[in-house]
Each structure stands twice: as structure tokens, then as C-alpha cells.
Amino acid sequence: MDDQGTQKTLKLLDLMQKTGCPIIQHNGQRKFGPPPYWTGPPPPKGCEIFIGKLPRDIYEDELVPLFSTVGTIYEMRLMMDFSGSNRGYAFITYATREEAAAAVKRLNGYEIRPRRHLGVVKSVDNCRLFIGNIPKTRTKEELVQELTKRVTGLVDVILYRNSFDRNLSRGFAFAEFVSHKAAAMARRELVPGCVKLWGQEVVVDWAEPEPDVDDEIMKTVKVLYARNFAISTTPETIRKTFEDVIKNKLDRVKKIYDYCFIHFYERAHAELAMNKLQKAEIDGSTIEICWAKPVDREQYRLQKEKRGNAKFNKTVDLAETLELYKQHLEKKEYANSSPKDEGIGSAYAGDSPCISPLDFKPAHASLTPSNYMLAPAKLESMCKRYLWLPPIYQYQKYMDPTGVELWVCTVDLPQVGPPLLATPKRIGPLASRICYSTQQAHSEAAEIALQTLKMLRVDLIQQSVPTPVYQMPAMRNCMSFPCDYPTIYPPMQPVMPITIPTIWRTA
């Protein structure tokens, strides 16, 4: 070990001796803490911060004293590489949420070395999964019982009821886990194509993380979010019920389908209403109430595209912003937006599947909304399970006479082998129909590939002759447009391999 390495080791040993906290390296990260005097459970969720833009030669002996000036450090995790340098980022868990918020305010942009400024943000561990394609007749209790047979760390399940028939659900739910790690392990266990609930293949993905709003701002909120109303319940009924409880007038009530935002003149009135009417029954429905989160609607739309562990989210650059804006225009998401949005309902309103069934026009009769999300994940899962080469997608853009962009996607399976084929062979390319977006074309091509593999398996069972490699002629049966379509409408750009962006992935 050189002199510099020796000096660094001595500094770390000195830090351990002064604080009494151990430093242990495990699985590519070095953990400092917890303090020896700590008793009781670890700090609650919301106490962790993410530190980025670290110089690669900086370690605990400099970081711990700096971040200890804000509050008590429960644990620090510094990501390390094999060379002994850090990987440019770390996580620090404080004893309280207030200390974590103070660290973000005081140390974000701190110049730790000449012209080297730290990036410090609140870390949000996403502990929630979206589960779709659930039989609508199943209850919350049945879903909890079924999930606990397969995964661990389940804390709660939010099952959304049908707005018109309270005896049915909407076919999807959100599962809350004790930690991000538990949620990640559950997502791995519930991989599409491998697990069925009550005979149906479910769709499992990260739910969007809840918007993070400063605690000081939340203390000033005077708007409640209430859900689970009957469709027939009128805003006037809601207003009268709440005004009778607080003995005062409301500012306004905005009801949307089975939920509403209730605006109060005084914070104390909102607190009283929440305490008195939580789990109350109105028109035969048991309502649930929480504080509405006053987040910026446009910023929230962009953040929704960043699912999973929010601690790794990066700032959206201009190109991403324009692309997302284009997608929102295509989906007409701005059509009914208001400059004065009430907010977002915390644990209940902020969650939605990553792709809504209304976000696309199915071009294939068998491609239901659930298959739209499931097919690419199922195909990828099948290739991984049998150690086949991953599918390759290519896209071709056309322009119809009215000026609308149309897309066709082809999928190639470069090497399909055992247990389907004794000798690995290529299957493809297989083409989708004409679609309105690359996402839809991508999903339909995956669905066609799955159907082709299914037919291939049936053929092998019925006859023992070798199965030929599927080439371009086989694609014609899967295409809805004439074979001379490219001649009628020349392609706008050449065929090109594309890696699907994260915001379009379904697994």
C-alpha cells in the first residue's frame, strides 16, 4: 500500500474510533453506522438523502464531518468500485425527516472541492408495485392472502373498486411493501408469464412514487382529497355533509367520478373534517380521506415518466421534455387541464398504471389493454427463462395521405432453441399491423411473436418433421396492409434497430 492509501486508511480508522460507528464494505458499497448508542427501530421513510457528483477520491473521513453539521447520521452508504474509488454517489440516512430536509437545503450545491459542487436531493424509496389484470370479482382480503403465499414484506394492498358496481374492482391494485428491496424482490417473483393469480397472468410493474412535498408546505394545506364516493353522490351532498360536521361553510367542492377535492377556508376545519368523517358512510359508500398534495401539475406529469427507485432519477433535459410534451399532446392530456389544480391525493390518487387503456387505439382484435402491457414483458421473460437470444425490434415509419404518422414494428427472434427446438433456429422477422405509435406497434409485434411460438409448439407436437425457419413470407399473414403498401407510401426513414426507452418498458 502506498503512502496515500495508508494515510486514507488511518483517517478512516480514526473516524471509527471517534464516532464508535463501524465501516463495513459489502456488495459494492461501504456502510458507516449505525451509532452504537442507537436503540429502537431505524429512522422512518423520508429520512434518506441522495448525494451525487462526488469526486472519486473522497471518502467517509470528509463526508461524515460535513453532513454531521446538519444532524445525526444514522447510516451512510458510499458506493464503491473494484479499484477502491467511490462511484460518484452515496446515501445518508438521518435520524429525522427534518434533518434530511435541512441537509438538502443547506448542502445542495456545496463546493466540496474547487469547482466541484455536490448534488443533494431527497431520496425516495419506491415501495409500491402496480398489479394489473386481477379478476374483478376478487376482494382485497383474497388478494392479500394470495400475494403473501408468493412474496414477503407485504404491508398493505389498495384495491380500487368499480365506480358503478361496488361489488367489483377495477382489475388493478397497488401493493405496499416494507422496503424498496422487498418490493424489488416481489417484482422479480411476480414476473409476467411465470405467475398466475386465479388462472390469470397478472401485470406487475413499479407504481409511480408519490410526489414529495416539503413538510412545511404540507402543514399549510387546506384541501382534502376524498375517494370511494358513489357516482350518484352529488357535490351538494358532499358539501352539506362536511359543513354539518365543521359547523362552517366550505370554500368549494370539486367532484370527479368517485373522488373529490374539498377546499376549506381554515386548516383547523379541514383537520376536524378528516377526524370526524374518515371511514364515514355517504350514500352507502365508505369514503377515505387524506391531505391533497399541492404539486405543480406539469412537473408531476414529467415525473410520472420516471418510475421505480426515485433516488436515481435525473433532471429531465430539453430533448426529454419535448418528447414527453409530444406524447401528452397525442394523448390529449392537456385538453382538460386547469391552471388552478387542486392537487394530488397522496396515497390514493397519485397512483395509476403506467399505460392507461385509453392511451391507445387497438389495431389488433386480440390485443386487449392487459395484453398491450403484458406481451413484450412475457416475450422477454420467455427468452430469459430458456436462455434464448433476446428479441430484436425494428421500426418503420409511414405517412398516410392525411399526414398522420403510422408505424410498423418487426420483431426478430435470432435464436430459438430448447425446449422448443432441438436445434436453435431463427424465427422472424414478424411484423405488426399499422399502428399509431411505436409503443403500440412494439407491443403488437411481441404479441404476434408469442402467437407464432405457440403455433410452432403445436406443430411440433402434431408432426415430427423439422420446422422450417420463419422468414419474411411468414410475416404476410400478420400484416393488415397490402404487400405494396411501402410502394404506395414510401417510408419516411430507414428501418432501424431501437432500444425501447425506460418509460415504455413494461417489465
Side-chain angles (χ1 to χ4, degrees), residues 332-391:
K332 299 182 179 178
E333 290 190 353
Y334 296 123
N336 299 318
S337 62
S338 168
K340 294 182 178 180
D341 282 316
E342 280 77 3
I344 295 174
S346 182
Y348 305 109
D351 299 313
S352 61
C354 55
I355 299 177
S356 167
L358 300 178
D359 287 345
F360 70 100
K361 301 177 182 178
H364 193 282
S366 65
L367 197 58
T368 63
S370 59
N371 287 338
Y372 181 84
M373 301 173 63
L374 181 61
K378 188 174 180 181
L379 181 61
E380 184 178 353
S381 174
M382 182 180 294
C383 292
K384 288 181 179 179
R385 191 191 319 164
Y386 297 133
L387 301 179
W388 300 341
L389 290 179

Short mmCIF file of all heavy atoms in Angstrom, two decimals, residues 332-391:
data_model
loop_
_atom_site.label_atom_id
_atom_site.label_comp_id
_atom_site.label_asym_id
_atom_site.label_seq_id
_atom_site.Cartn_x
_atom_site.Cartn_y
_atom_site.Cartn_z
N LYS A 332 -53.84 13.91 -25.61
CA LYS A 332 -54.79 14.98 -25.26
C LYS A 332 -54.89 15.17 -23.75
O LYS A 332 -55.97 15.40 -23.21
CB LYS A 332 -56.16 14.67 -25.86
CG LYS A 332 -56.15 14.58 -27.38
CD LYS A 332 -57.53 14.31 -27.93
CE LYS A 332 -57.50 14.25 -29.46
NZ LYS A 332 -58.83 13.95 -30.03
N GLU A 333 -53.76 15.05 -23.07
CA GLU A 333 -53.78 15.18 -21.61
C GLU A 333 -53.93 16.62 -21.16
O GLU A 333 -54.26 16.88 -20.01
CB GLU A 333 -52.50 14.58 -21.02
CG GLU A 333 -52.45 13.07 -21.12
CD GLU A 333 -51.31 12.49 -20.31
OE1 GLU A 333 -50.51 13.29 -19.79
OE2 GLU A 333 -51.24 11.27 -20.20
N TYR A 334 -53.67 17.57 -22.07
CA TYR A 334 -53.77 18.96 -21.68
C TYR A 334 -55.17 19.53 -21.96
O TYR A 334 -55.45 20.68 -21.65
CB TYR A 334 -52.74 19.81 -22.44
CG TYR A 334 -51.32 19.45 -22.11
CD1 TYR A 334 -50.43 19.06 -23.10
CD2 TYR A 334 -50.86 19.50 -20.80
CE1 TYR A 334 -49.13 18.74 -22.80
CE2 TYR A 334 -49.56 19.18 -20.49
CZ TYR A 334 -48.68 18.81 -21.50
OH TYR A 334 -47.40 18.49 -21.19
N ALA A 335 -56.02 18.72 -22.57
CA ALA A 335 -57.31 19.23 -23.02
C ALA A 335 -58.15 19.76 -21.87
O ALA A 335 -58.81 20.78 -21.98
CB ALA A 335 -58.09 18.14 -23.76
N ASN A 336 -58.15 19.05 -20.73
CA ASN A 336 -59.00 19.44 -19.61
C ASN A 336 -58.21 19.97 -18.43
O ASN A 336 -58.71 20.00 -17.32
CB ASN A 336 -59.83 18.23 -19.16
CG ASN A 336 -60.72 17.72 -20.27
OD1 ASN A 336 -61.32 18.51 -20.98
ND2 ASN A 336 -60.80 16.40 -20.42
N SER A 337 -56.97 20.33 -18.65
CA SER A 337 -56.15 20.80 -17.53
C SER A 337 -56.58 22.20 -17.12
O SER A 337 -57.08 22.98 -17.91
CB SER A 337 -54.67 20.81 -17.91
OG SER A 337 -54.45 21.68 -18.99
N SER A 338 -56.36 22.47 -15.86
CA SER A 338 -56.75 23.77 -15.31
C SER A 338 -55.54 24.45 -14.73
O SER A 338 -54.67 23.80 -14.16
CB SER A 338 -57.81 23.55 -14.22
OG SER A 338 -58.00 24.75 -13.49
N PRO A 339 -55.42 25.77 -14.86
CA PRO A 339 -54.27 26.46 -14.28
C PRO A 339 -54.27 26.41 -12.76
O PRO A 339 -53.26 26.67 -12.14
CB PRO A 339 -54.44 27.90 -14.80
CG PRO A 339 -55.90 28.03 -15.10
CD PRO A 339 -56.34 26.67 -15.55
N LYS A 340 -55.43 26.07 -12.17
CA LYS A 340 -55.52 26.02 -10.71
C LYS A 340 -55.91 24.61 -10.30
O LYS A 340 -57.05 24.33 -9.95
CB LYS A 340 -56.54 27.03 -10.19
CG LYS A 340 -56.14 28.48 -10.43
CD LYS A 340 -57.16 29.44 -9.84
CE LYS A 340 -56.73 30.87 -10.06
NZ LYS A 340 -57.71 31.82 -9.50
N ASP A 341 -54.96 23.67 -10.37
CA ASP A 341 -55.24 22.31 -9.97
C ASP A 341 -55.32 22.22 -8.46
O ASP A 341 -54.56 22.87 -7.73
CB ASP A 341 -54.13 21.36 -10.47
CG ASP A 341 -54.31 21.05 -11.94
OD1 ASP A 341 -55.44 20.79 -12.33
OD2 ASP A 341 -53.31 21.10 -12.68
N GLU A 342 -56.25 21.39 -7.97
CA GLU A 342 -56.41 21.24 -6.54
C GLU A 342 -55.19 20.59 -5.90
O GLU A 342 -54.78 20.92 -4.81
CB GLU A 342 -57.65 20.37 -6.24
CG GLU A 342 -58.96 21.11 -6.32
CD GLU A 342 -59.40 21.33 -7.75
OE1 GLU A 342 -58.71 20.86 -8.65
OE2 GLU A 342 -60.43 21.99 -7.96
N GLY A 343 -54.62 19.63 -6.58
CA GLY A 343 -53.50 18.90 -6.01
C GLY A 343 -53.61 17.44 -6.38
O GLY A 343 -54.37 17.08 -7.26
N ILE A 344 -52.88 16.64 -5.68
CA ILE A 344 -52.87 15.22 -5.95
C ILE A 344 -53.12 14.49 -4.65
O ILE A 344 -52.52 14.79 -3.63
CB ILE A 344 -51.53 14.78 -6.57
CG1 ILE A 344 -51.39 15.45 -7.93
CG2 ILE A 344 -51.44 13.29 -6.69
CD1 ILE A 344 -50.08 15.23 -8.59
N GLY A 345 -53.99 13.51 -4.69
CA GLY A 345 -54.35 12.81 -3.46
C GLY A 345 -53.35 11.77 -3.09
O GLY A 345 -53.34 10.68 -3.61
N SER A 346 -52.46 12.10 -2.23
CA SER A 346 -51.41 11.27 -1.63
C SER A 346 -51.42 9.82 -2.03
O SER A 346 -51.15 9.45 -3.14
CB SER A 346 -51.51 11.40 -0.12
OG SER A 346 -50.50 10.68 0.52
N ALA A 347 -51.76 8.95 -1.09
CA ALA A 347 -51.60 7.52 -1.32
C ALA A 347 -52.69 6.93 -2.19
O ALA A 347 -52.61 5.79 -2.56
CB ALA A 347 -51.59 6.79 0.02
N TYR A 348 -53.72 7.70 -2.50
CA TYR A 348 -54.84 7.13 -3.21
C TYR A 348 -54.97 7.65 -4.63
O TYR A 348 -55.25 6.92 -5.54
CB TYR A 348 -56.14 7.41 -2.45
CG TYR A 348 -56.07 6.93 -1.04
CD1 TYR A 348 -55.99 7.83 0.03
CD2 TYR A 348 -56.05 5.58 -0.76
CE1 TYR A 348 -55.93 7.37 1.33
CE2 TYR A 348 -55.98 5.12 0.54
CZ TYR A 348 -55.92 6.03 1.59
OH TYR A 348 -55.85 5.59 2.87
N ALA A 349 -54.76 8.93 -4.83
CA ALA A 349 -54.99 9.49 -6.16
C ALA A 349 -53.76 9.51 -7.01
O ALA A 349 -53.85 9.59 -8.21
CB ALA A 349 -55.53 10.91 -6.04
N GLY A 350 -52.59 9.45 -6.42
CA GLY A 350 -51.37 9.61 -7.20
C GLY A 350 -50.97 8.40 -7.96
O GLY A 350 -49.98 8.40 -8.65
N ASP A 351 -51.70 7.30 -7.84
CA ASP A 351 -51.29 6.05 -8.43
C ASP A 351 -52.15 5.72 -9.63
O ASP A 351 -53.36 5.80 -9.59
CB ASP A 351 -51.41 4.91 -7.42
CG ASP A 351 -50.54 5.15 -6.21
OD1 ASP A 351 -49.38 5.50 -6.44
OD2 ASP A 351 -51.01 5.00 -5.08
N SER A 352 -51.49 5.31 -10.69
CA SER A 352 -52.19 4.86 -11.87
C SER A 352 -51.25 3.97 -12.64
O SER A 352 -50.05 4.07 -12.52
CB SER A 352 -52.61 6.05 -12.74
OG SER A 352 -51.49 6.77 -13.15
N PRO A 353 -51.79 3.02 -13.43
CA PRO A 353 -50.90 2.18 -14.22
C PRO A 353 -50.11 3.01 -15.20
O PRO A 353 -50.53 4.09 -15.60
CB PRO A 353 -51.88 1.22 -14.94
CG PRO A 353 -53.20 1.92 -14.88
CD PRO A 353 -53.19 2.73 -13.62
N CYS A 354 -48.96 2.51 -15.59
CA CYS A 354 -48.06 3.30 -16.43
C CYS A 354 -48.67 3.58 -17.80
O CYS A 354 -48.34 4.56 -18.43
CB CYS A 354 -46.72 2.58 -16.59
SG CYS A 354 -46.85 0.91 -17.22
N ILE A 355 -49.57 2.71 -18.29
CA ILE A 355 -50.24 2.96 -19.57
C ILE A 355 -51.73 2.75 -19.36
O ILE A 355 -52.15 1.69 -18.91
CB ILE A 355 -49.72 2.00 -20.67
CG1 ILE A 355 -48.23 2.21 -20.87
CG2 ILE A 355 -50.47 2.22 -21.96
CD1 ILE A 355 -47.63 1.27 -21.86
N SER A 356 -52.50 3.73 -19.66
CA SER A 356 -53.95 3.63 -19.50
C SER A 356 -54.55 2.95 -20.71
O SER A 356 -54.08 3.13 -21.83
CB SER A 356 -54.55 5.02 -19.34
OG SER A 356 -55.95 4.97 -19.47
N PRO A 357 -55.60 2.15 -20.52
CA PRO A 357 -56.26 1.54 -21.68
C PRO A 357 -56.80 2.56 -22.67
O PRO A 357 -57.06 2.24 -23.81
CB PRO A 357 -57.41 0.74 -21.03
CG PRO A 357 -56.99 0.51 -19.63
CD PRO A 357 -56.18 1.72 -19.25
N LEU A 358 -56.95 3.81 -22.26
CA LEU A 358 -57.46 4.84 -23.17
C LEU A 358 -56.35 5.52 -23.94
O LEU A 358 -56.62 6.40 -24.75
CB LEU A 358 -58.24 5.88 -22.38
CG LEU A 358 -59.46 5.35 -21.60
CD1 LEU A 358 -60.11 6.48 -20.82
CD2 LEU A 358 -60.47 4.71 -22.53
N ASP A 359 -55.09 5.15 -23.66
CA ASP A 359 -53.97 5.85 -24.28
C ASP A 359 -53.65 5.35 -25.67
O ASP A 359 -52.72 5.81 -26.29
CB ASP A 359 -52.71 5.69 -23.41
CG ASP A 359 -52.80 6.53 -22.16
OD1 ASP A 359 -53.67 7.41 -22.12
OD2 ASP A 359 -52.01 6.30 -21.24
N PHE A 360 -54.38 4.34 -26.18
CA PHE A 360 -54.05 3.83 -27.50
C PHE A 360 -55.32 3.29 -28.15
O PHE A 360 -56.31 3.02 -27.49
CB PHE A 360 -53.00 2.72 -27.41
CG PHE A 360 -53.50 1.45 -26.79
CD1 PHE A 360 -53.88 0.37 -27.57
CD2 PHE A 360 -53.61 1.35 -25.41
CE1 PHE A 360 -54.35 -0.78 -26.99
CE2 PHE A 360 -54.09 0.20 -24.84
CZ PHE A 360 -54.46 -0.87 -25.63
N LYS A 361 -55.23 3.13 -29.46
CA LYS A 361 -56.34 2.54 -30.20
C LYS A 361 -55.90 1.16 -30.66
O LYS A 361 -55.01 1.05 -31.51
CB LYS A 361 -56.68 3.41 -31.42
CG LYS A 361 -57.06 4.84 -31.03
CD LYS A 361 -57.32 5.66 -32.27
CE LYS A 361 -57.65 7.10 -31.92
NZ LYS A 361 -57.86 7.93 -33.10
N PRO A 362 -56.47 0.09 -30.14
CA PRO A 362 -56.00 -1.25 -30.51
C PRO A 362 -56.15 -1.49 -32.01
O PRO A 362 -57.21 -1.24 -32.58
CB PRO A 362 -56.91 -2.17 -29.70
CG PRO A 362 -57.43 -1.32 -28.58
CD PRO A 362 -57.52 0.05 -29.14
N ALA A 363 -55.08 -1.95 -32.62
CA ALA A 363 -55.13 -2.26 -34.05
C ALA A 363 -55.25 -3.75 -34.28
O ALA A 363 -55.33 -4.20 -35.41
CB ALA A 363 -53.87 -1.73 -34.75
N HIS A 364 -55.22 -4.54 -33.22
CA HIS A 364 -55.30 -5.98 -33.33
C HIS A 364 -56.45 -6.43 -32.45
O HIS A 364 -56.54 -6.07 -31.30
CB HIS A 364 -53.98 -6.62 -32.88
CG HIS A 364 -53.88 -8.07 -33.24
ND1 HIS A 364 -54.52 -9.06 -32.54
CD2 HIS A 364 -53.22 -8.68 -34.25
CE1 HIS A 364 -54.24 -10.24 -33.08
NE2 HIS A 364 -53.47 -10.04 -34.11
N ALA A 365 -57.34 -7.26 -32.99
CA ALA A 365 -58.55 -7.61 -32.26
C ALA A 365 -58.25 -8.30 -30.94
O ALA A 365 -58.97 -8.15 -29.97
CB ALA A 365 -59.43 -8.50 -33.14
N SER A 366 -57.17 -9.11 -30.90
CA SER A 366 -56.86 -9.86 -29.69
C SER A 366 -56.01 -9.09 -28.71
O SER A 366 -55.72 -9.56 -27.63
CB SER A 366 -56.14 -11.16 -30.07
OG SER A 366 -54.88 -10.86 -30.63
N LEU A 367 -55.60 -7.89 -29.09
CA LEU A 367 -54.67 -7.14 -28.25
C LEU A 367 -55.46 -6.28 -27.28
O LEU A 367 -55.75 -5.12 -27.53
CB LEU A 367 -53.76 -6.26 -29.11
CG LEU A 367 -52.50 -5.72 -28.42
CD1 LEU A 367 -51.64 -6.85 -27.90
CD2 LEU A 367 -51.72 -4.85 -29.36
N THR A 368 -55.85 -6.85 -26.15
CA THR A 368 -56.59 -6.13 -25.12
C THR A 368 -55.63 -5.24 -24.36
O THR A 368 -54.42 -5.38 -24.47
CB THR A 368 -57.24 -7.13 -24.15
OG1 THR A 368 -56.20 -7.88 -23.50
CG2 THR A 368 -58.18 -8.07 -24.89
N PRO A 369 -56.14 -4.28 -23.55
CA PRO A 369 -55.25 -3.41 -22.78
C PRO A 369 -54.26 -4.17 -21.92
O PRO A 369 -53.12 -3.78 -21.78
CB PRO A 369 -56.23 -2.58 -21.94
CG PRO A 369 -57.46 -2.51 -22.78
CD PRO A 369 -57.54 -3.84 -23.47
N SER A 370 -54.69 -5.30 -21.32
CA SER A 370 -53.76 -6.05 -20.47
C SER A 370 -52.66 -6.69 -21.30
O SER A 370 -51.49 -6.72 -20.91
CB SER A 370 -54.53 -7.11 -19.68
OG SER A 370 -55.20 -8.00 -20.57
N ASN A 371 -53.04 -7.24 -22.50
CA ASN A 371 -52.02 -7.81 -23.37
C ASN A 371 -51.06 -6.75 -23.88
O ASN A 371 -49.89 -7.02 -24.13
CB ASN A 371 -52.68 -8.53 -24.56
CG ASN A 371 -53.34 -9.83 -24.15
OD1 ASN A 371 -52.97 -10.40 -23.13
ND2 ASN A 371 -54.31 -10.27 -24.93
N TYR A 372 -51.58 -5.54 -24.07
CA TYR A 372 -50.75 -4.45 -24.56
C TYR A 372 -49.56 -4.23 -23.64
O TYR A 372 -48.46 -3.97 -24.08
CB TYR A 372 -51.63 -3.19 -24.63
CG TYR A 372 -50.90 -1.96 -25.14
CD1 TYR A 372 -50.78 -1.74 -26.50
CD2 TYR A 372 -50.35 -1.04 -24.27
CE1 TYR A 372 -50.13 -0.62 -26.98
CE2 TYR A 372 -49.71 0.08 -24.73
CZ TYR A 372 -49.61 0.29 -26.09
OH TYR A 372 -48.96 1.40 -26.55
N MET A 373 -49.78 -4.35 -22.34
CA MET A 373 -48.70 -4.17 -21.39
C MET A 373 -47.93 -5.47 -21.17
O MET A 373 -46.76 -5.45 -20.86
CB MET A 373 -49.28 -3.68 -20.05
CG MET A 373 -50.04 -2.37 -20.13
SD MET A 373 -50.84 -1.96 -18.60
CE MET A 373 -49.43 -1.78 -17.52
N LEU A 374 -48.61 -6.60 -21.33
CA LEU A 374 -48.04 -7.87 -20.93
C LEU A 374 -47.17 -8.52 -22.00
O LEU A 374 -46.16 -9.14 -21.68
CB LEU A 374 -49.18 -8.83 -20.55
CG LEU A 374 -48.80 -10.23 -20.06
CD1 LEU A 374 -47.95 -10.13 -18.81
CD2 LEU A 374 -50.04 -11.05 -19.80
N ALA A 375 -47.53 -8.38 -23.27
CA ALA A 375 -46.88 -9.15 -24.34
C ALA A 375 -45.36 -8.94 -24.39
O ALA A 375 -44.61 -9.92 -24.41
CB ALA A 375 -47.52 -8.83 -25.69
N PRO A 376 -44.83 -7.70 -24.46
CA PRO A 376 -43.37 -7.56 -24.52
C PRO A 376 -42.66 -8.13 -23.30
O PRO A 376 -41.60 -8.75 -23.43
CB PRO A 376 -43.18 -6.03 -24.61
CG PRO A 376 -44.48 -5.50 -25.12
CD PRO A 376 -45.51 -6.39 -24.55
N ALA A 377 -43.24 -7.94 -22.12
CA ALA A 377 -42.62 -8.47 -20.91
C ALA A 377 -42.63 -10.00 -20.93
O ALA A 377 -41.66 -10.65 -20.52
CB ALA A 377 -43.35 -7.96 -19.67
N LYS A 378 -43.73 -10.58 -21.40
CA LYS A 378 -43.83 -12.03 -21.43
C LYS A 378 -42.84 -12.63 -22.43
O LYS A 378 -42.20 -13.65 -22.15
CB LYS A 378 -45.26 -12.42 -21.82
CG LYS A 378 -45.54 -13.91 -21.71
CD LYS A 378 -47.02 -14.19 -21.96
CE LYS A 378 -47.29 -15.69 -21.85
NZ LYS A 378 -48.73 -15.98 -22.11
N LEU A 379 -42.69 -11.99 -23.60
CA LEU A 379 -41.73 -12.48 -24.60
C LEU A 379 -40.31 -12.39 -24.07
O LEU A 379 -39.52 -13.33 -24.21
CB LEU A 379 -41.88 -11.67 -25.88
CG LEU A 379 -40.96 -12.08 -27.04
CD1 LEU A 379 -41.22 -13.52 -27.45
CD2 LEU A 379 -41.14 -11.14 -28.22
N GLU A 380 -39.97 -11.26 -23.45
CA GLU A 380 -38.63 -11.11 -22.89
C GLU A 380 -38.38 -12.12 -21.77
O GLU A 380 -37.29 -12.69 -21.66
CB GLU A 380 -38.45 -9.68 -22.36
CG GLU A 380 -37.05 -9.39 -21.85
CD GLU A 380 -36.90 -7.96 -21.39
OE1 GLU A 380 -37.85 -7.17 -21.59
OE2 GLU A 380 -35.85 -7.64 -20.82
N SER A 381 -39.40 -12.35 -20.94
CA SER A 381 -39.26 -13.31 -19.86
C SER A 381 -39.04 -14.72 -20.39
O SER A 381 -38.23 -15.48 -19.86
CB SER A 381 -40.52 -13.27 -18.98
OG SER A 381 -40.47 -14.28 -18.00
N MET A 382 -39.74 -15.07 -21.46
CA MET A 382 -39.59 -16.39 -22.06
C MET A 382 -38.18 -16.58 -22.61
O MET A 382 -37.56 -17.64 -22.43
CB MET A 382 -40.63 -16.58 -23.17
CG MET A 382 -40.58 -17.95 -23.83
SD MET A 382 -41.84 -18.12 -25.12
CE MET A 382 -43.33 -18.05 -24.13
N CYS A 383 -37.65 -15.55 -23.28
CA CYS A 383 -36.29 -15.65 -23.81
C CYS A 383 -35.25 -15.80 -22.70
O CYS A 383 -34.29 -16.58 -22.82
CB CYS A 383 -35.98 -14.42 -24.67
SG CYS A 383 -36.94 -14.32 -26.20
N LYS A 384 -35.44 -15.07 -21.60
CA LYS A 384 -34.51 -15.18 -20.48
C LYS A 384 -34.61 -16.55 -19.82
O LYS A 384 -33.61 -17.14 -19.43
CB LYS A 384 -34.79 -14.08 -19.46
CG LYS A 384 -34.38 -12.70 -19.91
CD LYS A 384 -34.66 -11.67 -18.83
CE LYS A 384 -34.23 -10.28 -19.26
NZ LYS A 384 -34.54 -9.26 -18.22
N ARG A 385 -35.84 -17.04 -19.68
CA ARG A 385 -36.04 -18.31 -18.98
C ARG A 385 -35.37 -19.47 -19.72
O ARG A 385 -34.80 -20.36 -19.10
CB ARG A 385 -37.55 -18.57 -18.85
CG ARG A 385 -37.89 -19.71 -17.91
CD ARG A 385 -39.36 -20.10 -18.02
NE ARG A 385 -40.22 -18.93 -18.12
CZ ARG A 385 -41.48 -18.99 -18.52
NH1 ARG A 385 -42.02 -20.14 -18.86
NH2 ARG A 385 -42.20 -17.89 -18.60
N TYR A 386 -35.48 -19.47 -21.05
CA TYR A 386 -34.93 -20.57 -21.84
C TYR A 386 -33.55 -20.26 -22.42
O TYR A 386 -33.04 -21.01 -23.24
CB TYR A 386 -35.89 -20.94 -22.97
CG TYR A 386 -37.23 -21.43 -22.47
CD1 TYR A 386 -38.42 -20.94 -23.01
CD2 TYR A 386 -37.31 -22.37 -21.44
CE1 TYR A 386 -39.65 -21.38 -22.54
CE2 TYR A 386 -38.54 -22.83 -20.98
CZ TYR A 386 -39.70 -22.32 -21.53
OH TYR A 386 -40.91 -22.76 -21.07
N LEU A 387 -32.96 -19.13 -22.00
CA LEU A 387 -31.61 -18.75 -22.43
C LEU A 387 -31.53 -18.56 -23.95
O LEU A 387 -30.51 -18.87 -24.57
CB LEU A 387 -30.57 -19.79 -21.97
CG LEU A 387 -30.49 -20.03 -20.46
CD1 LEU A 387 -29.44 -21.09 -20.13
CD2 LEU A 387 -30.18 -18.73 -19.73
N TRP A 388 -32.62 -18.06 -24.55
CA TRP A 388 -32.58 -17.69 -25.97
C TRP A 388 -32.00 -16.28 -26.08
O TRP A 388 -31.98 -15.52 -25.12
CB TRP A 388 -33.97 -17.70 -26.58
CG TRP A 388 -34.67 -19.03 -26.52
CD1 TRP A 388 -34.11 -20.26 -26.32
CD2 TRP A 388 -36.08 -19.25 -26.65
NE1 TRP A 388 -35.06 -21.23 -26.32
CE2 TRP A 388 -36.30 -20.65 -26.52
CE3 TRP A 388 -37.17 -18.43 -26.87
CZ2 TRP A 388 -37.57 -21.22 -26.59
CZ3 TRP A 388 -38.45 -18.98 -26.95
CH2 TRP A 388 -38.64 -20.36 -26.81
N LEU A 389 -31.56 -15.95 -27.30
CA LEU A 389 -31.12 -14.58 -27.52
C LEU A 389 -32.32 -13.64 -27.43
O LEU A 389 -33.44 -14.01 -27.81
CB LEU A 389 -30.46 -14.45 -28.90
CG LEU A 389 -29.10 -15.15 -29.05
CD1 LEU A 389 -28.58 -14.97 -30.48
CD2 LEU A 389 -28.10 -14.62 -28.05
N PRO A 390 -32.14 -12.43 -26.92
CA PRO A 390 -33.28 -11.51 -26.75
C PRO A 390 -33.86 -11.09 -28.09
O PRO A 390 -33.17 -11.05 -29.11
CB PRO A 390 -32.66 -10.32 -26.01
CG PRO A 390 -31.21 -10.37 -26.35
CD PRO A 390 -30.86 -11.82 -26.48
N PRO A 391 -35.15 -10.75 -28.11
CA PRO A 391 -35.78 -10.30 -29.37
C PRO A 391 -35.21 -8.97 -29.84
O PRO A 391 -34.80 -8.13 -29.04
CB PRO A 391 -37.26 -10.16 -28.99
CG PRO A 391 -37.27 -9.99 -27.50
CD PRO A 391 -36.09 -10.76 -26.99
#
